Amino acid sequence: MTFGITRVTVGVAAGLVLANAAQADISAQDVWSDWKAYFNGVGYSVTATETETADRLSLASIEMTSATGDDGGAMVVRFDQIDFQTNDDGTVNVVYPDTLKVEIDITAPTASDVELAFDVHPAQMTTLFSGTPTQITSEYSAQSIETVLTALTVDEDPITLADDAMRLLVEGLTGSAETTIDATRGYTQRMAVDKTSYSLHFPDPDGTNDVTLSGTMDGLTLAGQSTFPTVQGDPLELSALLGAGMDVAGTFAYVGGTSKAAGTQNGTDTFEVQTTSQGGTLTFALAQDGFEYSADQSALNLSMTSSELPFPVTLGVAQSGFDMSVPLVPSDDPKGFALDITLDGVTMSDFIWGLFDPSAKLPRDPATVILDLAGKMRWLVDITDAAALNALEDTPEAPLEIDALTINQLRLSLAGADLTGKGAFEFDNSAPEGAPKPSGSLDLMLVGGNTLLDTLVEMGLLPEDQAMGARLMMGLLAVPGDAPDTLNSTIEINEQGHISANGQRIQ
């Protein structure tokens, strides 16, 4: 379904803006021809009823059809009307109707068939193309674009919709794109949106459950660069596209956002969940060299109320981050990978603390979780090839090998205790059978661990015998540090597989 949603997004956006697909010269027909060529190259077959005059090309019953997988499924996107106007200065602009009718039909032999209908209302929407067939500039803007779901059918059964079943409003849209066409198609894009808001309403026909989702995003920006092969191929074969030179990278950012989920369950139970944040970014890059993904968010706050809870629940994260880079294709030599997860400044309400610590014996300082890894790996199969992925279901062998792993930073800080660590390991994958053999070391330091155990025993949350077992384990694996209530430990694994803690062999 994710693939289908992506296709829907591409189709609707292209119908409104056409900024990524068309090329402007002196003719509206040139724009339309290149639009069709572009979408044919990414897997759509495009048809329309054309009516052409000296300076205008009117398109009606526009239909874009694409396969959605290897199960025989398909998706059809239909637009009712778009016109291209050729101007005297050699530019072409798009003429939009007051209401653009969009229909999307998704057929899936192994799932339900779905039909959706939307009304799209562009206000003061302009799109202008200029340049030459091989060097195109497009600029677009809109006071607002509102998209409303008007009909939904599942397996030919119409679904009764609430008046606010789905609504998406984009306000203050501006953007531009430069396109270069030679051996490949290259795009450089920029977009800014003052405010984006959405709402979705899902009531049950019997009235026992009712859920409404809504949210806003302020100051949204997009910058991206992409390259696509001009030779048409199977758009579902990512391996072939990457091999032919596909390269996509982009950055999304926003300065603030809100979300809200509210509803009724079982006819009487109510709930509400709200979030706010002070912005974030998301970056990604996809090419034959590998895949990179990074996301961060600032000042995320969550609050929840429910008729089943006697108090509100609030959580906060001052800064969160997720970074990942990984190779995509098999290679003889190992390639670098990295993973970095950060949750910094995690807080929760005193109501939650009071459930298990009403006397406030535990420090309520913000918690931190950090895991920063890097290493070398190589794929044994091409994960961008659908056939290779399907073949993995019939083999118990691992699809990859890890050659090296570096723990740049490990940190867990909670309730007055602070665990930190770093280390590095290499893996011998030469054994014909069995798991890879690691060798290396890990340095750990725990501050406040014994104090935390004492407090948990005093609170009655941890039995004394279990606390004693934990202390014996720490005594076996760690040695006292220079500062009070500090334990240090160095865990080593040699090439023979022997494990030692602080120089003492334990296995």
Side-chain angles (χ1 to χ4, degrees), residues 68-401:
T68 58
D70 56 7
D71 61 352
M75 183 177 69
V76 181
V77 182
R78 301 184 183 91
F79 304 92
D80 62 341
Q81 180 75 39
I82 296 176
D83 289 1
F84 296 99
Q85 176 72 45
T86 300
N87 304 314
D88 294 338
D89 60 359
T91 62
V92 173
N93 63 276
V94 183
V95 181
Y96 302 100
D98 293 337
T99 300
L100 180 66
K101 301 288 186 179
V102 181
E103 297 178 355
I104 301 172
D105 296 346
I106 303 173
T107 58
T110 58
S112 298
D113 295 340
V114 178
E115 300 176 14
L116 306 99
F118 298 89
D119 280 352
V120 182
H121 307 287
Q124 299 184 24
M125 178 83 181
T126 64
T127 303
L128 182 69
F129 298 95
S130 61
T132 67
T134 58
Q135 193 72 42
I136 309 128
T137 298
S138 59
E139 297 181 353
Y140 54 90
S141 65
Q143 182 184 68
S144 65
I145 302 174
E146 182 184 40
T147 302
V148 180
L149 178 67
T150 57
L152 172 63
T153 301
V154 178
D155 289 333
E156 300 183 353
D157 292 329
I159 305 299
T160 302
L161 299 175
D163 292 338
D164 54 350
M166 195 207 84
R167 176 179 179 268
L168 173 66
L169 179 62
V170 174
E171 299 177 87
L173 169 69
T174 59
S176 64
E178 289 80 41
T179 306
T180 302
I181 303 174
D182 44 36
T184 59
R185 290 176 179 266
Y187 303 98
T188 300
Q189 307 169 62
R190 291 168 297 277
M191 185 185 73
V193 178
D194 291 341
K195 185 173 184 177
T196 302
S197 57
Y198 67 89
S199 62
L200 300 96
H201 189 189
F202 305 103
D204 275 354
D206 58 9
T208 58
N209 295 301
D210 189 297
V211 178
T212 300
L213 305 177
S214 61
T216 63
M217 188 173 293
D218 298 327
L220 175 65
T221 58
L222 162 66
Q225 302 81 37
S226 56
T227 301
F228 291 94
T230 55
V231 178
Q232 296 180 14
D234 187 348
L236 302 182
E237 289 294 339
L238 180 59
S239 178
L241 290 173
L242 292 173
M246 187 181 80
D247 188 333
V248 180
T251 299
F252 297 86
Y254 72 101
V255 299
T258 66
S259 70
K260 179 180 178 180
T264 303
Q265 296 175 308
N266 302 320
T268 57
D269 299 331
T270 61
F271 70 92
E272 182 176 289
V273 180
Q274 296 189 61
T275 68
T276 63
S277 68
Q278 294 181 7
T281 60
L282 184 153
T283 63
F284 66 92
L286 175 65
Q288 193 171 30
D289 291 340
F291 174 68
E292 298 179 6
Y293 176 89
S294 175
D296 65 75
Q297 196 169 39
S298 299
L300 173 64
N301 291 289
L302 179 146
S303 63
M304 180 176 69
T305 59
S306 170
S307 58
E308 297 182 339
L309 293 175
F311 52 82
V313 174
T314 61
L315 298 171
V317 182
Q319 191 70 40
S320 63
F322 180 87
D323 293 271
M324 178 184 69
S325 63
V326 62
L328 288 180
V329 297
S331 62
D332 295 332
D333 300 323
K335 304 295 183 181
F337 73 91
L339 176 66
D340 187 354
I341 301 172
T342 299
L343 293 173
D344 191 22
V346 181
T347 59
M348 57 185 180
S349 65
D350 288 338
F351 286 103
I352 301 177
W353 279 106
L355 292 176
F356 55 88
D357 185 20
S359 300
K361 293 182 178 296
L362 292 172
R364 300 184 178 183
D365 300 329
T368 296
V369 179
I370 298 175
L371 179 62
D372 183 359
L373 306 176
K376 296 283 187 179
M377 62 167 287
R378 67 186 189 97
W379 291 105
L380 304 179
V381 298
D382 187 352
I383 61 170
T384 65
D385 183 270
L389 283 179
N390 292 334
L392 290 177
E393 299 177 359
D394 302 322
T395 177
E397 298 180 0
L400 59 86
E401 286 183 352

Side-chain angles (χ1 to χ4, degrees), residues 3 7 10 37-44 66 228 232-236:
F3 183 83
R7 292 296 184 104
V10 170
Y38 170 83
F39 279 102
N40 286 337
V42 295
Y44 285 97
S66 175
F228 291 94
Q232 296 180 14
D234 187 348
L236 302 182

